[in-house]
């Protein structure tokens, strides 16, 4: 993967800025976060990345001091990363696809995937992008993602409805669930962590994990190990975070589950194998 945007969660990522006093010595962990992009983060601290950041800071012996910045503004997420992380204003990004080449990623702390979302009573038989039922349905998808590429391979993009929630400030991922309820689309294909926290308010909807697959050419990847990330060369901070992730794996996953994020086990081949799918 070349960018974070294809995971759809890019605009909602949190970034940690370490204060001059080392966090383990009781300093502050300053967090750059989007003030209005649930379920990732908001100014009231209700997002799952708010919760992860608070936990990380606590375990490092630090407190969190938020700096708010619109991560879906002009220039997109890559420019936001460049302004904050690469320029040294921020030190850690809370969610980045493992192995991303733009930054130095930690060991993964969760694995999640794209999902089909649709009404339970419809009983659609959806197993992957090759499922025949898809050709009969009004499909919604997040633009500029692996899903768009998969639909394009199968000649299905033109008839589908593209969404750009991850690129528009102030737009909630909840809006795609509203479109499902109203019948504007029959099935939405989106990143599960983007809608997991809202599903409790839509009891008539269900999800099916979109598996990694292949139409033609290279394998298609829809499941991703997610890491924290630091600037290239900042191996000391990466190692501290790796130790924290290893020691508190269960606690971090519990936080994610509390916020509706579905996590998957690491594949038998390990993260390196997944990164090469």
């Amino acid at each position: 993967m070349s960018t974070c945007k294809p995971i759809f969660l890019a605009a909602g990522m949190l970034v940690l800025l370490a204060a001059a006093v080392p966090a383990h010595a009781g300093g502050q962990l300053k967090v750059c976060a989007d003030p209005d992009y649930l379920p990732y983060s908001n100014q009231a601290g209700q997002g799952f990345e708010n919760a992860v950041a608070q936990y990380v800071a606590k375990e490092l012996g630090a407190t969190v001091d938020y700096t708010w910045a619109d991560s879906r503004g002009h220039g997109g997420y890559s420019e936001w990363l460049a302004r904050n992380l690469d320029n040294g204003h921020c030190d850690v990004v809370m969610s980045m696809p493992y192995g991303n080449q733009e930054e130095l990623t930690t060991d993964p702390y969760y694995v999640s995937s794209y999902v089909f979302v649709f009404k339970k009573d419809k009983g659609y038989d959806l197993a992957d992008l090759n499922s025949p039922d898809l050709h009969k349905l009004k499909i919604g998808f997040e633009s500029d993602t692996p899903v768009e590429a998969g639909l394009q391979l199968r000649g299905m993009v033109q008839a589908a409805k593209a969404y750009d929630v991850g690129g528009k400030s102030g737009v909630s991922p909840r809006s795609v669930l509203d479109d499902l309820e109203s019948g504007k689309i029959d099935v939405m294909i989106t990143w599960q962590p983007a809608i997991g926290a809202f599903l409790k308010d839509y009891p008539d909807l269900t999800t099916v994990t979109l598996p990694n697959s292949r139409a033609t050419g290279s394998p298609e990847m829809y499941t991703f190990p997610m890491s924290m990330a630091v600037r290239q060369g900042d191996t000391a901070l990466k190692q501290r975070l790796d130790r924290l992730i290893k020691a508190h794996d269960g606690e971090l996953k519990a936080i994610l589950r509390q916020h509706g994020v579905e996590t998957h086990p690491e594949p038998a081949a390990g993260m390196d194998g997944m990164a090469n799918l």
Side-chain angles (χ1 to χ4, degrees):
M1 293 201 46
S2 60
T3 67
C4 284
K5 177 63 188 300
I7 303 297
F8 176 58
L9 45 74
M13 298 304 92
L14 296 182
V15 176
L16 300 183
L17 173 61
V21 179
H24 63 270
Q28 287 187 329
L29 223 53
K30 292 188 176 179
V31 180
C32 293
D34 193 306
D36 186 26
Y37 194 13
L38 290 178
Y40 303 108
S41 63
N42 73 353
Q43 205 157 357
Q46 297 170 313
F48 70 81
E49 291 188 347
N50 293 114
V52 170
Q54 292 285 350
Y55 183 81
V56 168
K58 177 176 70 70
E59 292 304 317
L60 292 176
T63 58
V64 176
D65 180 22
Y66 281 106
T67 298
W68 304 107
D70 182 1
S71 60
R72 295 185 284 177
H74 178 72
Y77 187 65
S78 292
E79 184 175 313
W80 188 74
L81 273 178
R83 289 196 308 266
N84 291 286
L85 183 60
D86 297 336
N87 280 348
H89 299 299
C90 302
D91 290 334
V92 182
V93 178
M94 291 307 295
S95 293
M96 178 77 78
Y98 173 72
N100 183 279
Q101 298 302 305
E102 295 181 46
E103 313 295 348
L104 182 62
T105 56
T106 67
D107 294 337
Y109 69 101
Y110 74 99
V111 177
S112 199
S113 66
Y114 282 90
V115 291
F116 297 109
V117 193
F118 54 92
K119 291 184 178 179
K120 295 176 184 176
D121 62 7
K122 297 298 184 181
Y124 302 138
D125 183 10
L126 301 178
D128 55 36
L129 288 181
N130 297 313
S131 298
D133 273 9
L134 280 179
H135 293 277
K136 310 170 189 175
L137 305 176
K138 293 178 287 186
I139 301 170
F141 68 94
E142 179 71 10
S143 62
D144 192 21
T145 66
V147 171
E148 179 175 19
L151 292 172
Q152 191 170 21
L153 279 173
R154 295 164 175 82
M156 299 166 66
V157 167
Q158 296 297 328
K161 178 177 173 60
Y163 291 80
D164 189 23
V165 177
K168 293 184 178 179
S169 299
V171 180
S172 172
R174 184 189 288 269
S175 62
V176 304
L177 303 181
D178 290 336
D179 279 6
L180 278 170
E181 290 280 24
S182 67
K184 291 182 181 178
I185 53 175
D186 296 318
V187 58
M188 181 68 192
I189 313 175
T190 189
W191 178 240
Q192 194 280 335
I195 49 88
F198 302 131
L199 286 174
K200 64 182 183 300
D201 299 325
Y202 300 83
D204 59 328
L205 298 182
T206 190
T207 64
V208 174
T209 296
L210 183 63
N212 296 331
S213 62
R214 181 198 299 265
T216 60
S218 301
E220 302 162 46
M221 187 171 177
Y222 303 111
T223 298
F224 294 90
M226 301 303 298
S227 305
M228 302 171 200
V230 302
R231 284 184 300 281
Q232 292 288 349
D234 195 354
T235 56
L237 183 54
K238 168 185 154 49
Q239 290 169 357
R240 288 176 63 204
L241 293 170
D242 282 342
R243 289 193 293 270
L244 187 150
I245 290 167
K246 182 177 181 180
H248 299 280
D249 175 75
E251 293 88 344
L252 290 167
K253 286 185 173 61
I255 290 169
L256 295 167
R257 288 193 297 270
Q258 289 167 7
H259 288 261
V261 177
E262 288 185 3
T263 62
H264 305 301
E266 295 181 7
M271 290 296 107
D272 291 336
M274 174 171 273
N276 293 324
L277 287 175

